[in-house]
């Protein structure tokens, strides 16, 4: 019996069209040299928020005593992950009751809400997580939570109850992933943040690896 691995990209395309939180810095690329203009190579620079597309929040983003992204354990962002789909009203938080029918089978949980369907079009009424859910996942030995929206807290929330619960349990956060083409189930997650000194987040190239036996 042989096995093959299917790699599923769960990262949105990064371009000047991608939506960011209102007031945050949009992605822009500027070409300093271009072979099409006669230069010997193509060279560009970018300006952007670090909370771009699929990204990992650092604890320093939501706590004054939190670590910046380069100090986080890489092993947290790679390993067994479980995709869970929920059907929650827009502008709501996912509660324990919403996943009561699901057995937690991995230490990294990714929520498929389908409430932020177009990464290039901002909508503020996306589904978020709740403090009670984070506490429940922590009791189930989860080390990372991910979601297919820009944030694990609502867009207009200032108290950040879910971020603060994550900090209390020293969990990791993965936001902005794309799961509309992903079935529920178990995968291997790879979503490594960049080693940026002092950064409060980092974009990631997030993928799920599905083991298939033939």
């Amino acid at each position: 019996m042989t096995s093959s691995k299917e790699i599923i990209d769960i990262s949105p395309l990064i371009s000047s069209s991608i939506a960011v939180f209102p007031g945050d810095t949009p992605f822009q690329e500027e070409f300093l040299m271009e072979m099409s203009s006669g230069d010997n190579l193509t060279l560009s620079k970018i300006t952007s928020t670090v909370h771009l597309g699929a990204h990992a929040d650092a604890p320093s983003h939501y706590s004054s005593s939190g670590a910046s992204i380069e100090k986080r354990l890489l092993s947290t962002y790679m390993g067994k992950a479980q995709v869970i789909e929920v059907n929650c009203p827009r502008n709501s938080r996912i509660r324990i009751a919403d996943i009561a029918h699901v057995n937690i089978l991995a230490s990294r949980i990714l929520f498929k809400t389908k409430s932020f369907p177009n990464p290039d079009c901002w909508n503020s009424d996306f589904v978020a997580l709740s403090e009670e859910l984070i506490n429940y996942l922590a009791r189930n030995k989860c080390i990372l939570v991910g979601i297919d929206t820009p944030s694990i807290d609502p867009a207009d929330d200032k108290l950040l109850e879910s971020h603060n619960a994550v900090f209390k349990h020293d969990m990791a956060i993965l936001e902005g992933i794309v799961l509309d083409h992903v079935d529920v189930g178990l995968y291997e997650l790879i979503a490594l943040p960049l080693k940026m000194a002092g950064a409060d987040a980092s974009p990631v190239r997030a993928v799920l690896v599905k083991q298939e036996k033939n």
Side-chain angles (χ1 to χ4, degrees), residues 10 21 38 64 80 92 104 130 173 184 187 198 207 209:
I10 58 170
F21 255 91
S64 59
K80 190 175 182 181
S92 67
I104 303 300
S130 64
I173 298 173
V184 299
Y187 302 85
V207 300
V209 182

Side-chain angles (χ1 to χ4, degrees), residues 37-151:
S37 300
D39 295 318
N40 67 317
L41 50 80
T42 296
L43 181 67
S44 62
K45 69 175 183 177
I46 61 172
T47 303
S48 173
T49 174
V50 289
H51 298 265
L52 180 70
H55 64 275
D57 279 357
S60 60
H61 176 52
Y62 40 88
S63 173
S64 59
S65 61
S68 48
I69 197 65
E70 84 282 7
K71 298 176 182 176
R72 301 295 282 168
L73 288 175
L74 290 180
S75 58
T76 306
Y77 302 93
M78 54 190 302
K80 190 175 182 181
Q82 182 177 3
V83 174
I84 298 175
E85 184 171 352
V86 295
N87 184 21
C88 297
R90 284 184 172 273
N91 219 21
S92 67
R93 292 182 185 266
I94 305 171
R95 306 290 177 181
I96 298 174
D98 297 314
I99 62 166
H101 60 291
V102 179
N103 291 324
I104 303 300
L105 302 174
S107 56
R108 299 162 189 84
I109 303 298
L110 308 178
F111 287 100
K112 179 178 179 178
T113 73
K114 297 185 289 188
S115 63
F116 196 80
N118 185 354
D120 291 346
C121 183
W122 178 264
N123 64 273
S124 295
D125 59 347
F126 54 79
V127 173
L129 307 185
S130 64
E131 180 181 8
E132 69 170 64
L133 180 66
I134 298 297
N135 293 336
Y136 171 76
L137 295 175
R139 292 195 297 271
N140 281 271
K141 303 186 184 306
C142 292
I143 61 174
L144 178 146
V145 290
I147 195 166
D148 60 350
T149 72
S151 177

